């Protein structure tokens, strides 16, 4: 099936009048570009946080100096010079094409929006949960219950479940679905068995969420296998001397799932 790019085609046909204009991709990522009318090469292409350029010759002219000079205007995104329009089109296609909503502003979608929509395409319902932290910060995540026929929030102390969030290891550790994925973030998927015991199922870079969705879909077919696949003795030995708190969807717990 051929994926069309009407927004890109429109911008390249008429030009952007020497200013950046945006394209929202099907998976929620955003790029903006400057391009002249009918040009085969975009003068500048800016990839907003979370969207990475392919490792190809077409994207080799990254202008890190301009990003540094402009500070907050470009934030954590990446600016590229003289990118062939065909290369921009290929990038859009790699992310599923263009989003149906192309109305400004071209702000990237939050992790919650991206994840909820992607899971819904597999018939999977996710629920937002949060926890207030010392200092006024807030951790946020999504919960997927094993019983997808049940209405309402999953019964996390009675059935297997999945916890999904973006993890950012900057000055302070961040667990969130409230903002857009950024370069350096990792999608993290934990699985719980309904008794307070959780373990990591998969982690993926910010721009590879599709792998997390597939892992969650596979888990829904056999949730206990993902929790019980460690040998019991090895599991106990691995955690015998653990004194670190672990974050669950119900707050911080020790290695045995007891609330701290």
């Amino acid at each position: 099936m051929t994926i069309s790019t009407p927004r890109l085609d429109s911008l390249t046909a008429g030009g952007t009048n020497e200013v950046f204009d945006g394209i929202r991709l099907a998976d929620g990522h955003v790029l903006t570009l400057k391009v002249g009318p009918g040009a085969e090469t975009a003068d500048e292409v800016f990839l907003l946080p979370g969207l990475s350029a392919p490792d190809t010759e077409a994207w080799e002219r990254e202008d890190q100096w301009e990003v540094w000079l402009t500070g907050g205007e470009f934030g954590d995104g990446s600016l590229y010079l003289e990118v062939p329009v065909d290369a921009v089109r290929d990038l859009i296609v790699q992310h599923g094409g263009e989003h149906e909503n192309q109305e400004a502003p071209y702000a990237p979608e939050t992790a919650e929006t991206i994840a909820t929509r992607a899971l819904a395409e597999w018939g999977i319902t996710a629920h937002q949960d949060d926890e207030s932290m010392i200092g006024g910060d807030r951790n946020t995540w999504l919960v997927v219950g094993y019983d997808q026929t049940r209405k309402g929030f999953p019964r996390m102390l009675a059935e297997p479940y999945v916890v999904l969030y973006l993890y950012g290891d900057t000055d302070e550790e961040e667990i969130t679905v409230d903002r857009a994925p950024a370069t350096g973030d990792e999608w993290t998927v934990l699985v719980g068995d309904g008794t307070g015991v959780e373990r990591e199922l998969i982690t993926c870079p910010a721009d590879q969420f599709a792998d997390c969705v597939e892992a969650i879909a596979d888990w829904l077919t056999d949730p206990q296998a993902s929790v019980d696949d460690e040998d019991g003795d090895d599991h106990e030995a691995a955690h015998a001397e653990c004194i670190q708190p672990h974050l669950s969807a119900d707050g911080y717990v020790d290695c045995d799932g007891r609330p701290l």
Side-chain angles (χ1 to χ4, degrees):
M1 180 182 67
T2 301
I3 297 178
S4 62
T5 55
R7 174 68 177 170
L8 175 64
D9 296 342
S10 175
L11 293 180
T12 54
T16 62
N17 198 26
E18 298 185 355
V19 297
F20 280 101
D21 210 339
I23 301 173
R24 183 175 292 110
L25 310 189
D27 60 4
H29 290 105
V30 174
L31 65 84
T32 63
L33 75 165
K34 290 182 183 179
V35 63
E40 295 182 355
T41 299
D43 299 322
E44 300 177 73
V45 179
F46 179 63
L47 308 183
L48 272 71
L51 182 59
S52 300
D55 185 16
T56 64
E57 183 178 349
W59 295 90
E60 65 181 5
R61 296 198 60 191
E62 182 177 4
D63 192 349
Q64 297 176 335
W65 178 246
E66 181 68 17
V67 171
W68 181 82
L69 284 176
T70 55
E73 179 181 352
F74 287 114
D76 295 327
S78 304
L79 181 66
Y80 296 86
L81 306 180
E82 298 180 1
V83 182
V85 170
D86 284 344
V88 179
R89 182 175 290 105
D90 289 343
L91 177 62
I92 294 171
V93 170
Q94 289 171 15
H95 287 263
E98 297 177 351
H99 198 285
E100 60 183 13
N101 176 17
Q102 292 295 334
E103 295 184 5
Y106 289 95
E109 294 180 312
T110 66
E112 179 178 359
T113 299
I114 293 170
T116 301
R117 182 179 60 246
L119 290 168
E121 291 175 355
W122 287 66
I124 300 171
T125 301
H127 303 264
Q128 197 263 9
D129 199 7
D130 60 31
E131 174 190 34
S132 297
M133 306 297 292
I134 297 175
D137 293 334
R138 191 170 67 110
N139 285 337
T140 58
W141 55 84
L142 295 176
V143 180
V144 175
Y146 170 61
D147 184 2
Q148 285 287 297
T149 65
R150 183 178 183 274
K151 304 295 184 181
F153 197 85
R155 298 172 296 176
M156 299 177 66
L157 296 179
E159 67 171 351
Y161 60 88
V162 155
V163 173
L164 165 70
Y165 55 82
L166 272 182
Y167 175 77
D169 188 9
T170 53
D171 293 337
E172 296 184 2
E173 293 183 338
E174 182 184 23
I175 292 173
T176 185
V177 292
D178 284 347
R179 61 166 176 79
T183 302
D185 286 343
E186 284 189 336
W187 291 100
T188 300
V189 179
L190 307 178
V191 293
D193 64 358
T195 68
V197 177
E198 294 180 346
R199 64 180 291 267
E200 185 177 289
L201 178 64
I202 189 174
T203 61
C204 301
D207 60 350
Q208 297 179 23
F209 182 62
D211 292 341
C212 290
V213 176
E214 291 186 16
I216 293 171
D218 289 342
W219 171 86
L220 282 170
T221 65
D222 190 9
Q224 288 303 119
S226 62
V227 176
D228 297 338
D229 59 2
E230 298 181 19
D231 179 80
D233 293 338
D234 291 342
H235 179 77
E236 291 298 325
H239 295 283
E241 299 180 1
C242 178
I243 60 173
Q244 298 297 321
H246 301 273
L247 180 67
S248 75
D250 292 323
Y252 285 95
V253 297
D254 62 17
C255 285
D256 294 319
R258 293 186 292 265
L260 296 175

